[in-house]
Amino acid sequence: MTGHLFENVKILEFGGGAAGPLGTRYFADHGATVVRVESRVRPDFIRLLRYTPGDPAGFDGSHMFAMVNVNKLGVALDMSHPQAREVALRLVDWCDVLAENFAPGTMAKWGLDYDSLAARKPSLVMVSTCLNGQTGPDRNYPGFGGQGSALAGFNHLTGWPDREPLGPYGTITDSLSPRFVALLVASALLYRERTGKGQYIDLSQVEAGIVCLSENILTFTTRGQVLERCGNRSRDAAPHGVFRCAPEGDDTDRWIALAVHDDEDWRTLRAVMGDPDWAKDPRFDTVEGRLAHVGELEACLERWTMTFRAQELAERLVQAGLDAAVVWNFAELLEDPQLAWRGHFREVDHPVIGRHLCETNAMRFSGVAERQFRPAPCLGEHTEYVCRELLRMSAGEYEELLAAGVFR
Amino acid sequence: MGQSVQLAGNMNLAGFRILDCTEEPGYLAGKLLAELGAEVIKIEPPQGDPGRRRGPFIGDTPDPELSVPWLALNTSKLSVTLDLADSKDRATFLELIGTADAILETAGAGACVGPLAHALDEVELRKANAGIVICRLSPFGTTGPYAERRGSDLTVLALGGNLYPTGNPDRPPVRCCLPVTHFHGGIELAVATVFALWGRSTLGMAQTVDVSLQECLTIPNMTVPTQYPFTGFTGKRVGGGFRGAKAFFRELWPCKDGWISFALRGGPARNPGIQALVDYIRECGMAAPALERDWKNYNHNTISQEEVDAIQDALGAFFRTKTMDELFQVACERNLLLAPALTAREILASRQLAARGFFVDIEDPGRGLVLRYPAYFALTSLGAACIRRPAPRIGEHNELVLRSLSATRDRT
């Protein structure tokens, strides 16, 4: 085991929420120094999610903030202060990558737009990510992930045909965009290593979501067909769905996900069920037949699944070689043995929240050391460290700026 | 770096050669890497990648060159066909591996390793190219208690915790009709590849990377599962809405011709938008007493369910009088946090996307078609990370790539 992948990479981050900060987390989890710039004057909105006035935890009690921003350092800098820009420029001089996810124009308002910064530092890699991108008539549209999911088409495609268009849980563009940020920044670093040149990256979260859903677009442009949400059914397989299992105590929300991919799977399922009379119906022998009578098939199958506890049924089906799973709720997810095997959930000790779990990405590299995880910064927790140790400010200069109210 | 035959000019990954042995869950990875400038060669069996046989097809007749899902996510790649059971093709494959920087593969349902690993073990692979980056995407990872277990979009969603909370409370958990696990996993596989290339270059060592789709699907729950020990919230489905400290809020609303997303979420970033919407409703002559309150200091954690219901009744009545387009235009003009749930038809008609040149007509002379696609996934000061060629036909680049191999042979 040698070092961490990004141990010599320095990232400066402005912005808030999850879509930007989860992108830099990839680098923080692999050893990069990530400095997050925030301000008490306008706190990151996810610091306020459960905030009520008078909360003794102040801006440091947000679980979501703490879980998103693990492994980063935090600086408080009031960008509306006349001396703040000078400090920000010194941070830019220090960093390799500047990541921001404000509304378009915010960085420019502070004189921190790419053109100004690149003139000073041509090797800078800068990424801006917002919902609609940095240009175009609707660039200032102020959406969050919930809006991004709707505009990219995910909502329309998720849910039941006779119900509202839901979107996958958790505002999906907020979790797709960070992956794109990581990809773009890492490839820009490779380019910079070869050429010495930096670059500017404009990632529209809506556009990136639409690229993932290219099939949605191509289905319309080549077939004139608008794709519609269709519950859990598949065009190619049946049964393919989520079926009710027996209640456990007062929990009636127990489900099994089952995908019968082909006729061989179907024969296996029949054997597991003890080949009941309904399943012998020749209409169900082929995938075409099962798809044509899918409603009846699902109803019959669910009468069988409802007689089992979900975990017991999943074990039977998986044992037989079928593609089936208990639909984990969040409590069960935290106990999942495979996620435990991979060390997906890590525990850190936060000074305000106490011990809590956080997550990491889905990649495991041979030959790189595991990083010891550190809790997310309290607001401004590392201001002095960053100024004195990373920017090499004198004690006098730091005290002067502090007294002037720059570090709020 | 490998010996690319494709000119990628001034692009991030120009000069890198990547062999793409993925099936459906990994298609997006190679597309993104190619659109960043890498030369991505899709290795297919002589009869073509099995994913090419998935419909729907352009023109309704099953044709492996016209599969819509395949065409959607395999743009910008080259295609070379090799029969790995044939000793001559196998030798060519090893030679090709010798010229590549990375090799990607996915494990299909039912196995923790894919066709590549079945044909070639890691020792042979490393013998052919000691420095190659090997990236594997599988449902659960290549080791551990689920390593041998099957997994597909639906069951990986179930075990990643993203299925249970999606849907209506009176119905089963529900998924998106296109495979979001492949999108999360495909991008993650591309990230893993570039991270490993970076590691090879800076730490000076070859990398094997193991990417788990299940793990990709926990992050989209946006930390709510890891908050469970504090909140006790197991992810119960709430339909189109969210829960504040004292009340439940609606998030999806029927309008005149479809659905829109809007919620009474508070906070300094959001309150001005609620005020602007209320002002607009008043201008439209639909003012209601419940809507007149101090929105500047609104906090969704302190408001009661009775108050929320009264406000939402007034909002719901108003939204039903407007179309998706009317409401979105107002949202853009007045900074409202409101968005229509768009279908492909409306996305293709978006003025914002038109202004950015987001859709392009890709000429596909091999198929005699012109196909309209989303052109790029990011804009950079070097240029767009955009489609560089149509999705390849089966074995379209056999000759081109094999010729480059013999040229390499001649040089050495």
Side-chain angles (χ1 to χ4, degrees):
Chain A
M1 296 289 155
T2 54
H4 305 295
L5 281 176
F6 292 99
E7 60 193 0
N8 296 316
V9 171
K10 294 167 280 188
I11 299 181
L12 178 63
E13 171 168 272
F14 284 83
L22 279 174
T24 58
R25 259 295 296 289
Y26 278 86
F27 299 89
D29 286 8
H30 287 288
T33 305
V34 178
V35 170
R36 229 187 114 56
V37 176
E38 302 178 72
S39 172
R40 270 179 198 86
V41 179
R42 204 184 163 136
D44 183 345
F45 76 92
I46 66 168
R47 284 191 180 274
L48 305 175
L49 285 181
R50 305 197 71 79
Y51 176 79
T52 45
D55 184 343
F59 297 145
D60 297 319
S62 162
H63 297 124
M64 183 176 181
F65 180 90
M67 290 161 184
V68 165
N69 291 293
V70 164
N71 291 334
K72 299 181 185 176
L73 301 175
V75 165
L77 189 61
D78 174 9
M79 289 307 298
S80 63
H81 193 286
Q83 285 169 278
R85 180 169 186 264
E86 200 46 46
V87 178
L89 287 175
R90 284 169 72 172
L91 284 164
V92 170
D93 291 341
W94 163 82
C95 76
D96 301 298
V97 177
L98 170 55
E100 67 95 6
N101 70 326
F102 285 124
T106 307
M107 296 298 278
K109 189 181 76 191
W110 297 327
L112 298 175
D113 54 291
Y114 176 72
D115 288 345
S116 313
L117 298 178
R120 180 185 178 99
K121 180 172 177 162
S123 67
L124 180 70
V125 171
M126 176 167 171
V127 57
S128 294
T129 171
C130 66
L131 216 59
N132 270 341
Q134 303 297 310
T135 60
D138 300 339
R139 66 185 176 281
N140 293 319
Y141 171 74
F144 291 83
Q147 288 75 38
S149 174
L151 293 174
F154 286 102
N155 281 50
H156 179 75
L157 300 173
T158 308
W160 304 97
D162 60 334
R163 291 284 180 90
E164 71 269 33
L166 291 167
Y169 180 79
T171 62
I172 185 166
T173 51
D174 282 342
S175 48
L176 291 172
S177 306
R179 303 187 204 275
F180 281 104
V181 167
L183 174 65
L184 288 157
V185 168
S187 68
L189 286 171
L190 271 176
Y191 178 80
R192 191 181 82 150
E193 194 196 32
R194 261 196 344 260
T195 63
K197 290 180 193 153
Q199 68 187 268
Y200 180 64
I201 300 160
D202 167 13
L203 177 72
S204 151
Q205 294 161 21
V206 170
E207 289 172 351
I210 295 170
V211 167
C212 293
L213 294 173
S214 287
E215 184 179 337
N216 184 40
I217 298 302
L218 215 57
T219 302
F220 188 78
T221 60
T222 63
R223 295 169 51 87
Q225 183 189 348
V226 173
L227 275 183
E228 302 288 347
R229 55 192 172 278
C230 56
N232 291 312
R233 287 180 183 167
S234 158
R235 289 190 292 245
D236 311 309
H240 186 284
V242 173
F243 303 96
R244 190 178 283 282
C245 294
E248 292 172 33
D250 56 3
D251 184 1
T252 56
D253 206 26
R254 303 299 297 162
W255 305 92
I256 187 123
L258 174 61
V260 171
H261 295 283
D262 52 29
D263 296 343
E264 192 187 329
D265 278 356
W266 171 245
R267 289 189 289 273
T268 305
L269 178 62
R270 275 175 62 170
V272 175
M273 292 190 295
D275 212 9
D277 285 343
W278 69 263
K280 289 179 183 139
D281 188 331
R283 290 178 307 159
F284 296 152
D285 285 351
T286 62
V287 66
E288 293 77 18
R290 291 192 300 279
L291 283 167
H293 304 95
V294 64
E296 192 184 333
L297 175 70
E298 288 170 348
C300 291
L301 179 61
E302 191 160 66
R303 280 197 288 277
W304 179 72
T305 62
M306 281 171 72
T307 63
F308 293 90
R309 289 165 71 99
Q311 182 67 42
E312 185 200 339
L313 183 57
E315 278 163 19
R316 273 192 194 214
L317 295 167
V318 169
Q319 192 69 42
L322 290 168
D323 181 14
V326 177
V327 181
W328 283 156
N329 64 35
F330 292 161
E332 292 166 314
L333 182 70
L334 297 182
E335 304 296 326
D336 180 272
Q338 180 69 16
L339 294 173
W341 171 272
R342 288 177 68 88
H344 179 75
F345 297 110
R346 316 279 175 100
E347 196 177 56
V348 292
D349 195 0
H350 186 277
V352 173
I353 295 165
R355 301 194 75 80
H356 71 81
L357 293 174
C358 62
E359 297 175 68
T360 190
N361 53 65
M363 313 176 284
R364 296 295 178 274
F365 295 83
S366 64
V368 300
E370 278 286 310
R371 177 172 189 166
Q372 194 66 42
F373 277 29
R374 264 197 318 245
C378 291
L379 211 163
E381 182 179 341
H382 305 100
T383 306
E384 184 172 359
Y385 169 80
V386 169
C387 289
R388 298 277 286 110
E389 302 297 323
L390 303 185
L391 302 186
R392 304 268 166 218
M393 273 184 197
S394 69
E397 188 184 3
Y398 171 75
E399 296 294 338
E400 207 170 290
L401 289 166
L402 183 65
V406 175
F407 301 126
R408 286 194 303 153
Chain B
M1 233 181 285
Q3 288 132 26
S4 164
V5 294
Q6 236 183 332
L7 289 176
N10 195 27
M11 296 174 73
N12 282 347
L13 299 181
F16 287 102
R17 172 176 277 181
I18 296 171
L19 305 183
D20 179 351
C21 305
T22 66
E23 292 188 344
E24 212 183 331
Y27 290 165
L28 181 58
K31 169 180 160 75
L32 300 177
L33 294 165
E35 289 165 14
L36 284 166
E39 180 195 71
V40 175
I41 305 173
K42 183 121 193 64
I43 307 293
E44 306 189 58
Q47 69 278 19
D49 180 6
R52 290 183 182 266
R53 289 191 283 279
R54 264 208 49 217
F57 298 91
I58 300 176
D60 281 327
T61 321
D63 176 342
E65 297 295 8
L66 296 176
S67 152
V68 173
W70 203 89
L71 292 171
L73 295 182
N74 286 287
T75 53
S76 309
K77 302 178 186 179
L78 307 178
S79 164
V80 167
T81 51
L82 290 170
D83 177 3
L84 297 185
D86 174 275
S87 60
K88 191 163 161 282
D89 275 10
R90 200 181 152 87
T92 306
F93 186 44
L94 288 169
E95 207 178 333
L96 201 49
I97 287 170
T99 66
D101 299 285
I103 185 160
L104 317 183
E105 78 157 341
T106 46
C112 63
V113 292
L116 165 67
H118 282 301
L120 204 67
D121 67 27
E122 192 156 332
V123 177
E124 282 177 285
L125 225 162
R126 290 263 173 241
K127 215 174 113 196
N129 184 340
I132 198 166
V133 159
I134 305 169
C135 291
R136 292 212 168 86
L137 175 69
S138 58
F140 306 104
T142 58
T143 64
Y146 296 176
E148 306 288 334
R149 186 171 173 170
R150 292 172 74 178
S152 59
D153 184 58
L154 187 66
T155 49
V156 165
L157 280 170
L159 293 171
N162 198 234
L163 190 56
Y164 183 80
T166 302
N168 302 93
D170 61 334
R171 295 264 178 105
V174 70
R175 68 165 185 165
C176 177
C177 72
L178 294 180
V180 299
T181 59
H182 301 175
F183 310 149
H184 288 290
I187 317 170
E188 195 86 344
L189 183 60
V191 174
T193 307
V194 178
F195 275 29
L197 289 171
W198 172 265
R200 186 182 72 164
S201 151
T202 59
L203 301 176
M205 62 182 304
Q207 302 281 348
T208 302
V209 199
D210 177 6
V211 184
S212 147
L213 277 176
Q214 180 197 20
E215 234 182 327
C216 287
L217 265 293
T218 63
I219 285 275
N221 299 306
M222 285 288 130
T223 77
V224 182
T226 43
Q227 293 185 50
Y228 167 77
F230 298 96
T231 62
F233 178 63
T234 58
K236 284 243 177 280
R237 294 176 301 291
V238 295
F242 79 97
R243 195 169 296 286
K246 293 181 177 173
F248 178 72
F249 298 77
R250 178 159 203 169
E251 196 138 29
L252 286 154
W253 311 70
C255 65
K256 210 170 177 178
D257 62 344
W259 293 84
I260 56 139
S261 154
F262 174 82
L264 289 165
R265 290 182 198 266
R270 297 168 186 257
N271 287 350
I274 303 178
Q275 180 66 61
L277 174 63
V278 168
D279 293 344
Y280 176 60
I281 294 173
R282 199 185 305 111
E283 288 165 34
C284 292
M286 290 192 68
L291 298 177
E292 303 304 327
R293 54 182 293 140
D294 173 16
W295 290 109
K296 192 167 186 298
N297 294 304
Y298 168 73
N299 183 325
H300 61 248
N301 289 324
T302 55
I303 187 167
S304 74
Q305 189 69 58
E306 292 71 38
E307 290 175 283
V308 171
D309 290 345
I311 297 167
Q312 294 195 150
D313 285 348
L315 290 176
F318 171 73
F319 290 145
R320 274 190 290 272
T321 67
K322 298 281 177 197
T323 65
M324 289 198 284
D325 194 47
E326 283 169 337
L327 288 168
F328 189 54
Q329 290 305 321
V330 177
C332 291
E333 284 157 19
R334 304 192 185 204
N335 289 350
L336 312 184
L337 280 169
L338 178 156
L342 299 180
T343 72
R345 179 187 285 115
E346 293 113 26
I347 291 169
L348 279 151
S350 154
R351 64 171 188 174
Q352 169 68 11
L353 297 172
R356 283 167 63 86
F358 181 64
F359 290 107
V360 287
D361 290 327
I362 300 290
E363 290 209 29
D364 190 340
R367 293 181 179 84
L369 294 170
V370 176
L371 302 175
R372 180 161 294 186
Y373 273 89
Y376 62 83
F377 66 91
L379 298 174
T380 83
S381 52
L382 303 181
C386 66
I387 294 181
R388 293 162 58 208
R389 56 169 73 236
R393 285 171 290 127
I394 300 168
E396 183 178 344
H397 304 96
N398 284 358
E399 204 187 316
L400 177 78
V401 172
L402 298 186
R403 213 183 314 123
S404 88
L405 278 184
S406 60
T408 309
R409 230 177 284 135
D410 294 345
R411 271 204 305 277
T412 56

